[in-house]
Amino acid sequence: MRIIHFSDFHLSKDPAHINKSQRLMEKFQEKLVQINHENKIDLIVFSGDMINQGGKGFDSIGQGFQTFKLLLLDKLMSSLNLPSERFVFVPGNHDVDRNLDNEYVEKGLASELVTTEAIEKFYSSSSAITAMNRIVPFKAFEKEYYANTLLENYIYTNFQSNLKYSIDGKKIGVTLLNTAWRCWGSSTDKGRILLCQNQITDSLSFLEDCDIKIAVAHHSYNWLNDLESVAVEKLITKEYDIFLCGHTHSGSIVSNLRAELSEWLLLEF
C-alpha cells in the first residue's frame, strides 16, 4: 500500500500566489504521476491548512475551500486516476474563521475548559457547536465532499469524522481528528490546543473491523494543552498504526512502518 502525505498549502486569493501555487502543484503532480506509474498510490492524506488566514481575500472561507478543490485537489486526483474520496483531509488553524465566534464566548471557554472533565462535558453538549462556529464552514465542506461517495463508510461529527476503505482486500480506517476547534491566534495557540480524548474513543467501535488504522490531525502532541498531550499520545500510539500531522511545515509521522521523507512523505507498507 502507498500513502502520500502532504500539508499546509495555505492557498491565497492573491493572483501571484495562485499562479505560484498552481506551478507548485503541477510539479508535485508530475512527480506523483511518475510514482503512481511505478507502483500505484492508494491514498493521499492532507493534514490541514488548505487556505491561508481563514480564506482572507476570498469572498468567503467557503469560496477558499472550493477554489482549493477546483484548482488543485480535483486535478491531482484526476491525474492519478483516484476516486475523490481517496483524498483525506483535516482542518488546520488557517481553515477556521475566527470572526464567526464571539470574543467574550472565547474568553469564557478558555477559562472554563481547564479540566478533562470540563472538556468532555463540552464535547458531549448538544450546544457545543454554537461556541465553535469557526469550524462550521470547514465541516460543511468536508461533509459535502465525502457523504455522497463513502455513504455508510463515512461517520461525521462536529469534532472528528471517520472513514473506511477497502484496498487490496484490506480494510483501512482513518480518523480525522479536529485540533482546530480551539484555535484562536496562531502566535498563542501552542499549549492551549484541545482535542478531547473522546474524539478517539468514540471512533474505535466504527474502526474495530479495520486491518490498518490511521489517525490524522493538523497539530502534533506537543501543541496540545498539558492536560491532554501525554494521554492523547499514549492513546493514539495504542489504538492506531500511523499518526500523520502537519502545521510545523515539515514531515511528521509516528509509525513502526518504513517511511521515506523528502518535501512530502511517501509511506509504503
Side-chain angles (χ1 to χ4, degrees), residues 2 4 25-41 44 76 79-81 260 264 266 268:
R2 268 187 162 184
I4 297 295
M25 183 55 76
E26 286 169 3
K27 294 295 184 182
F28 185 52
Q29 184 175 305
E30 287 175 9
K31 182 63 177 177
L32 293 192
V33 168
Q34 176 187 334
I35 290 172
N36 197 46
H37 281 316
E38 296 167 356
N39 192 7
K40 69 181 178 64
I41 294 168
I44 296 183
L76 176 62
S79 70
L80 298 175
N81 197 29
E260 179 181 322
W264 34 267
L266 168 63
E268 294 182 296

Side-chain angles (χ1 to χ4, degrees), residues 101-114:
D101 281 319
N102 183 289
E103 181 180 356
Y104 297 101
V105 173
E106 169 63 23
K107 289 179 178 178
L109 281 179
S111 64
E112 290 293 325
L113 301 181
V114 292

Side-chain angles (χ1 to χ4, degrees), residues 184-199:
W184 187 256
S186 296
S187 62
T188 58
D189 279 342
K190 189 169 186 178
R192 68 186 296 276
I193 299 294
L194 298 176
L195 178 71
C196 186
Q197 295 178 57
N198 296 49
Q199 287 200 46

Side-chain angles (χ1 to χ4, degrees), residues 29 140 149 154 244-246 257:
Q29 184 175 305
T149 53
Y154 171 56
L244 297 169
C245 53
L257 306 175

Side-chain angles (χ1 to χ4, degrees), residues 18-87:
I18 285 185
N19 290 336
K20 181 180 178 181
S21 297
Q22 286 183 301
R23 291 195 300 271
L24 176 62
M25 183 55 76
E26 286 169 3
K27 294 295 184 182
F28 185 52
Q29 184 175 305
E30 287 175 9
K31 182 63 177 177
L32 293 192
V33 168
Q34 176 187 334
I35 290 172
N36 197 46
H37 281 316
E38 296 167 356
N39 192 7
K40 69 181 178 64
I41 294 168
D42 298 290
L43 203 63
I44 296 183
V45 177
F46 182 84
S47 52
D49 283 352
M50 290 184 178
I51 57 177
N52 199 46
Q53 296 182 322
K56 184 179 180 180
F58 289 101
D59 293 342
S60 67
I61 189 170
Q63 185 191 57
F65 296 138
Q66 290 298 331
T67 303
F68 180 91
K69 179 180 182 294
L70 292 172
L71 293 183
L72 307 171
L73 197 166
D74 289 348
K75 292 180 180 179
L76 176 62
M77 301 306 282
S78 176
S79 70
L80 298 175
N81 197 29
L82 275 174
S84 61
E85 64 270 20
R86 293 286 187 93
F87 186 86

